[in-house]
């Protein structure tokens, strides 16, 4: 049976406006910030090694399933085909970038996934480049950008996706181990099940964030990262604020699709 798909238009600010808003917001949390509109770098090259060279075309956000399908015990029938997801967001040929769980049936164990799938060519275009160095505030890089958008755009939902590098420093990352055999009924039990690590730059992050929930039970920010030195997982925050350096490339999405939203219990 096809999963239920809910869809909403997002507010799409111009790239220039997005630059100005993020510049102001990030300045409150980082010592050095430079946000500008640039030609998208070739993301097929090192260190990104993505399946597509650009982020452009018709940027859309898909929020599929959710934590209620993992907790308190996993619903192991909840496996999604990325080709079906691409059809669900009305882009049957798409470059899919983001953060999800891997199919335990495909890889043999429960695992973090950094989906990076390309099914058809798209043209390179302009993107927003974000450079932030030396974190001075408490907010993590992604939350700072998301909350900045929420504050500036208010009721108008703005969704952003793309990639960023942690060029220097370390980050707190979790990975999911094997499915828990006992129910995970609290945040404490969940955090005892997850495995947390301090991982080292350079980390290549795949990130999506929405300024606020539109009543879809959205995961309003989600970032996974990988590296070429064997580390990767779900990004929480950098643990080296004095030395951290971020370089990101982002675009605002035109639509958000909520696919197979878990029913509230
Ligand atoms: Zn995750």
């Amino acid at each position: 049976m096809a999963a239920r798909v809910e869809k909403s238009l997002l507010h799409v600010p111009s790239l220039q406006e997005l630059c100005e808003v993020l510049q102001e917001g990030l300045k409150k949390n980082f010592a050095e910030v430079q946000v500008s509109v640039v030609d998208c770098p070739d993301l097929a090259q090192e260190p990104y090694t993505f399946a597509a060279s650009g982020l452009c075309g018709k940027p859309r956000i898909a929020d599929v399933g959710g934590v209620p399908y993992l907790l308190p015990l996993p619903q192991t029938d909840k496996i999604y085909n990325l080709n079906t997801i691409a059809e669900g967001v009305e882009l049957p040929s798409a470059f899919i970038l983001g953060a999800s769980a891997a199919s335990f049936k495909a890889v043999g164990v429960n695992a973090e996934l950094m989906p990076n799938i390309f099914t058809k060519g798209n043209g390179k275009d302009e993107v927003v480049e974000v450079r932030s160095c030396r974190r001075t505030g408490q907010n993590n890089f992604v939350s700072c950008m998301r909350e900045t958008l929420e504050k500036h755009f208010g009721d108008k939902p703005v969704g952003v996706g793309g990639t960023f590098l942690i060029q220097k420093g370390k980050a707190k990352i979790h990975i999911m181990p094997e499915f828990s055999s006992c129910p995970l009924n609290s945040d404490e039990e969940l955090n005892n099940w997850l495995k947390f690590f301090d991982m080292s730059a350079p980390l290549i992050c795949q990130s999506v964030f929405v300024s606020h929930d539109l009543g879809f039970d959205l995961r309003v920010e989600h970032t996974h990262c990988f590296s070429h030195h064997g580390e990767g997982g779900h990004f929480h925050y950098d643990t080296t604020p004095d030395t951290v350096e971020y370089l990101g490339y982002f675009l605002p999405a035109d639509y958000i699709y909520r696919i197979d939203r878990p029913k509230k219990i």
Side-chain angles (χ1 to χ4, degrees):
M1 191 181 74
R4 182 165 69 123
V5 179
E6 300 160 275
K7 173 183 179 184
S8 177
L9 200 61
L10 290 169
H11 172 66
V12 184
S14 73
L15 298 191
Q16 192 55 44
E17 183 182 12
L18 195 56
C19 279
E20 287 160 18
V21 171
L22 290 176
Q23 176 82 29
E24 281 310 303
L26 285 163
K27 262 180 15 193
K28 297 183 183 126
N29 209 57
F30 289 88
E32 293 170 32
V33 179
Q34 190 188 354
V35 187
S36 49
V37 178
V38 299
D39 288 335
C40 190
D42 186 350
L43 299 175
Q45 300 300 314
E46 293 260 350
Y48 305 96
T49 60
F50 287 166
S53 57
L55 292 176
C56 310
K58 292 182 180 160
R60 293 179 176 181
I61 292 171
D63 188 333
V64 185
V67 173
Y69 294 152
L70 178 68
L71 306 178
L73 283 167
Q75 296 180 32
T76 51
D77 59 320
K78 287 293 180 186
I79 293 182
Y80 301 94
N81 182 319
L82 289 173
N83 291 318
T84 311
I85 299 300
E87 282 170 18
V89 304
E90 301 168 278
L91 292 173
S93 295
F95 171 41
I96 296 177
L97 188 68
S100 77
S103 160
F104 80 99
K105 283 191 178 158
V107 298
V109 290
N110 184 33
E112 307 286 341
L113 180 68
M114 300 77 185
N116 173 13
I117 312 277
F118 181 46
T119 51
K120 197 181 175 186
N122 56 6
K124 282 210 301 175
D125 214 331
E126 288 185 324
V127 293
V128 170
E129 179 185 86
V130 179
R131 291 177 186 272
S132 292
C133 301
R134 292 190 291 125
R135 183 165 54 81
T136 53
Q138 292 300 312
N139 246 346
N140 86 62
F141 179 59
V142 177
S143 297
C144 181
M145 290 192 286
R146 188 183 66 72
E147 289 172 18
T148 295
L149 298 183
E150 183 175 24
K151 207 168 171 190
H152 183 83
F153 292 103
D155 289 346
K156 295 180 196 161
V158 176
V160 171
T163 179
F164 64 88
L165 298 177
I166 303 175
Q167 296 176 297
K168 286 188 184 167
K170 292 189 172 198
K172 183 175 174 175
I173 307 284
H174 83 231
I175 61 170
M176 294 184 292
E178 287 276 19
F179 291 128
S180 175
S181 53
C182 51
L184 302 170
N185 286 313
S186 67
D187 282 353
E188 193 187 354
E189 288 173 356
L190 171 63
N191 287 328
N192 284 334
W193 171 69
L194 293 171
K195 302 289 181 213
F196 288 89
F197 298 92
D198 239 18
M199 295 188 185
S200 300
L203 293 165
I204 303 120
C205 301
Q206 306 179 180
S207 186
V208 61
F209 49 98
V210 184
S211 58
H212 66 271
D213 195 346
L214 288 76
F216 285 162
D217 296 325
L218 293 177
R219 191 159 185 161
V220 290
E221 54 183 84
H222 202 181
T223 302
H224 281 191
C225 61
F226 69 95
S227 69
H228 299 294
H229 54 270
E231 293 183 318
H234 175 113
F235 169 79
H236 287 263
Y237 51 81
D238 70 73
T239 56
T240 52
D242 293 342
T243 52
V244 73
E245 292 188 17
Y246 293 97
L247 169 62
Y249 296 98
F250 300 100
L251 268 189
D254 53 7
Y255 286 98
I256 187 160
Y257 295 77
R258 186 66 172 103
I259 298 174
D260 199 22
R261 165 154 58 123
K263 290 201 169 59
K264 279 219 173 102
I265 303 160

